Amino acid sequence: MATTTKKATVTSTNGRCGAEFGSCPEGQCCSQYGYCGVSSDHCTTGCQSSFGQCGSTTNKKTSVKKTTATTKMATTTKKATVTSTNGRCGTEFGSCPEGQCCSQYGYCGVSSDHCTTGCQSSFGQCGAISSSTGLKYYDSCINKKHWALTFDDGPYDYDMDLLDLLKKKGVKATFFINGANVMDIKTTKAKNIIQRMDKDGHIVASHTWSHADIAKISKSELIKEMTQLEDYIYKYIGKKPAFMRPPYGSGDGNVSIAKTLGDLGYSAAILWNVDTLDWDQRGVDYALSQFKKYQGKPILSLNHNYYGGITKNKLLELAEKEIDYMKKQGYISVTMDECLGLEAYK
C-alpha cells in the first residue's frame, strides 16, 4: 500500500520536488532524484515520502514516449473553464493549458500517450499535436537495433582521450555541450575539442550556455542561453545545431518552450531512455544493467563528459564497456541525426 508522511506545504508546479521545489501534486511520488511521477522508479527505491506519496499508486501512467507517430488531426471539444496549474486534469483539476492533451489517467502533456487512446477531449486537445512549434521531445531512436551514445556537459579535460577511444572503437557519438558550465567555451582548449568532435564525425549539439533549467527561466533568458552557445559553435565548426538537450530533462509538455525553441530553428529536444547515472558514481555494472532492460528496443543512452569526482579512467572505462557490450548485442551505434532521421544542423 502507498504510504505518506507529512508533506511540504508548497506544491511543485514544474515536475520537480524536494526541499528546493516543494511536494508533488496529490497522488504523485517524489523520486530519489527529485522528480514527480507515478512509476515504480518514482515510488519505490529512494522515494522521498516527505514530498509525495511512496509505495504503489493507483491509476499509474504508462511510460511516456516523446515521439509522435500518429498523423490524425488534433480535435477539441468544449473544455472545462478552469485551467489546471499542477499538471493534472479532469473533473477535479480542470482543463490542461492551451495546446496540451489530458490523458486517460488525468495528466497534461503532448505525447502520444496523452493525446490518443483514452484522451479526455473535455479537458484538452486530443489527436496529434500540431508540429507548428517545429520542435518535439524524443527519448529513443527509430530503428530498434540503433543505439545513440550521447554525452552531456562538455567540453572537458578528458575529451581528447574520449575521442581517441571512440575513434579506436569506430563509434560516433553526439555531444551536448555547454558554453560556461565546466570549461569556458571561449578558450583555445575548448575550441580544439569542439573542432575535433566535428572533424571526427560526431554531432555537436546544445545543452544551453550555462546548464540552465529551461523551465525556470524567462523566454528572453532561454533565447540568450541558446543563441549565445550556437554562435560559438558556428564560429568553431561553421554550423548551428538543430538538436538540444534540456538540462535536467525539463520543459517537456511546455508549449511555450517548444515554440520558442522551434522559432529559433531547433527541431528536437533530446531526452534518453537509458541513464547510466555515471554522475552518481553507480559504476559499470549498474550502467550495463540499464542497457539490458532495453534489449531488443532502440536505445538512447546518457553519459557525461564531466561530473563531480570524474577521472579519466572512470570516463573511458564506462564508455569502452558500454561499446563492447552493445556491439556484442548486435546494436549499431549512430549519431542523433541517424537515430531520429532528422538534420543535425540548421
Side-chain angles (χ1 to χ4, degrees), residues 7 120 153 160 170 172 185 197 214 224 242 250 287 332 338:
K7 291 172 60 179
Q120 302 183 60
D153 297 348
M160 287 298 193
K172 306 298 183 187
I185 198 173
M197 288 174 177
I214 63 174
K224 184 177 180 180
S250 68
I332 302 168
E338 188 173 357

Side-chain angles (χ1 to χ4, degrees), residues 152-155 176-185 194 205-212 225 229 247:
D152 284 6
D153 297 348
F176 293 93
I177 68 171
N178 299 117
N181 179 26
V182 182
M183 180 182 287
D184 185 350
I185 198 173
I194 294 167
S206 175
H207 198 40
T208 75
W209 178 260
S210 66
H211 203 270
E225 284 281 336
L229 176 59

Side-chain angles (χ1 to χ4, degrees), residues 64-80:
V64 177
K65 293 184 179 179
K66 314 300 177 190
T67 52
T68 304
T70 178
T71 57
K72 182 180 177 182
M73 292 301 293
T75 60
T76 59
T77 62
K78 187 175 181 180
K79 291 172 60 179

Side-chain angles (χ1 to χ4, degrees), residues 58-172:
T58 58
N59 292 335
K60 286 187 178 180
K61 289 194 297 181
T62 56
S63 60
V64 177
K65 293 184 179 179
K66 314 300 177 190
T67 52
T68 304
T70 178
T71 57
K72 182 180 177 182
M73 292 301 293
T75 60
T76 59
T77 62
K78 187 175 181 180
K79 291 172 60 179
T81 55
V82 177
T83 300
S84 170
T85 59
N86 66 355
R88 298 299 307 275
C89 53
T91 304
E92 182 180 352
F93 303 100
S95 62
C96 294
E98 184 69 27
Q100 295 187 36
C101 305
C102 181
S103 77
Q104 60 183 320
Y105 303 113
Y107 290 86
C108 297
V110 296
S111 75
S112 59
D113 288 334
H114 293 86
C115 300
T116 54
T117 304
C119 177
Q120 302 183 60
S121 59
S122 296
F123 302 102
Q125 185 168 312
C126 286
I129 294 293
S130 168
S131 61
S132 60
T133 62
L135 176 135
K136 292 186 177 69
Y137 277 69
Y138 297 85
D139 66 0
S140 69
C141 299
I142 299 170
N143 189 312
K144 68 179 183 179
K145 293 305 290 183
H146 279 179
W147 165 45
L149 171 63
T150 70
F151 292 87
D152 284 6
D153 297 348
Y156 189 59
D157 293 344
Y158 310 133
D159 284 355
M160 287 298 193
D161 299 287
L162 176 60
L163 291 168
D164 287 342
L165 173 66
L166 295 176
K167 187 173 185 178
K168 174 184 174 183
K169 292 289 185 177
V171 168
K172 306 298 183 187

Side-chain angles (χ1 to χ4, degrees), residues 90-343:
T91 304
E92 182 180 352
F93 303 100
S95 62
C96 294
E98 184 69 27
Q100 295 187 36
C101 305
C102 181
S103 77
Q104 60 183 320
Y105 303 113
Y107 290 86
C108 297
V110 296
S111 75
S112 59
D113 288 334
H114 293 86
C115 300
T116 54
T117 304
C119 177
Q120 302 183 60
S121 59
S122 296
F123 302 102
Q125 185 168 312
C126 286
I129 294 293
S130 168
S131 61
S132 60
T133 62
L135 176 135
K136 292 186 177 69
Y137 277 69
Y138 297 85
D139 66 0
S140 69
C141 299
I142 299 170
N143 189 312
K144 68 179 183 179
K145 293 305 290 183
H146 279 179
W147 165 45
L149 171 63
T150 70
F151 292 87
D152 284 6
D153 297 348
Y156 189 59
D157 293 344
Y158 310 133
D159 284 355
M160 287 298 193
D161 299 287
L162 176 60
L163 291 168
D164 287 342
L165 173 66
L166 295 176
K167 187 173 185 178
K168 174 184 174 183
K169 292 289 185 177
V171 168
K172 306 298 183 187
T174 300
F175 292 93
F176 293 93
I177 68 171
N178 299 117
N181 179 26
V182 182
M183 180 182 287
D184 185 350
I185 198 173
K186 300 175 185 177
T187 63
T188 300
K189 185 174 185 178
K191 175 183 177 181
N192 291 339
I193 291 170
I194 294 167
Q195 288 181 333
R196 183 173 170 196
M197 288 174 177
D198 178 62
K199 181 181 178 181
D200 284 2
H202 306 290
I203 297 299
V204 179
S206 175
H207 198 40
T208 75
W209 178 260
S210 66
H211 203 270
D213 185 337
I214 63 174
K216 298 174 69 175
I217 60 177
S218 67
K219 178 179 178 179
S220 62
E221 289 171 326
L222 174 57
I223 292 172
K224 184 177 180 180
E225 284 281 336
M226 303 307 296
T227 57
Q228 191 172 2
L229 176 59
E230 69 182 34
D231 285 347
Y232 271 92
I233 293 175
Y234 181 80
K235 180 179 179 181
Y236 292 162
I237 66 173
K239 295 173 282 191
K240 291 188 177 184
F243 298 157
M244 64 86 64
R245 171 169 282 157
Y248 317 107
S250 68
D252 184 19
N254 187 313
V255 176
S256 176
I257 288 175
K259 186 177 188 309
T260 299
L261 292 172
D263 289 346
L264 290 173
Y266 288 87
S267 61
I270 312 299
L271 301 181
W272 55 88
N273 58 12
V274 169
D275 189 348
T276 64
L277 293 183
D278 50 356
W279 60 269
D280 198 34
Q281 311 283 350
R282 295 297 185 94
V284 172
D285 289 342
Y286 175 84
L288 296 185
S289 74
Q290 300 309 296
F291 282 95
K292 290 176 183 177
K293 290 180 180 180
Y294 280 84
Q295 288 306 299
K297 300 177 182 178
I299 292 179
L300 201 171
S301 62
L302 171 62
N303 287 57
H304 291 81
N305 300 74
Y306 169 83
Y307 52 83
I310 192 173
T311 65
K312 182 172 72 173
N313 287 340
K314 286 180 181 178
L315 172 70
L316 299 182
E317 180 188 15
L318 179 57
E320 185 166 23
K321 294 291 187 181
E322 289 176 18
I323 292 168
D324 291 345
Y325 175 78
M326 292 298 282
K327 283 186 174 181
K328 187 176 181 180
Q329 304 308 312
Y331 275 84
I332 302 168
S333 66
V334 296
T335 48
M336 283 310 310
D337 51 348
E338 188 173 357
C339 168
L340 300 178
L342 299 173
E343 293 291 333

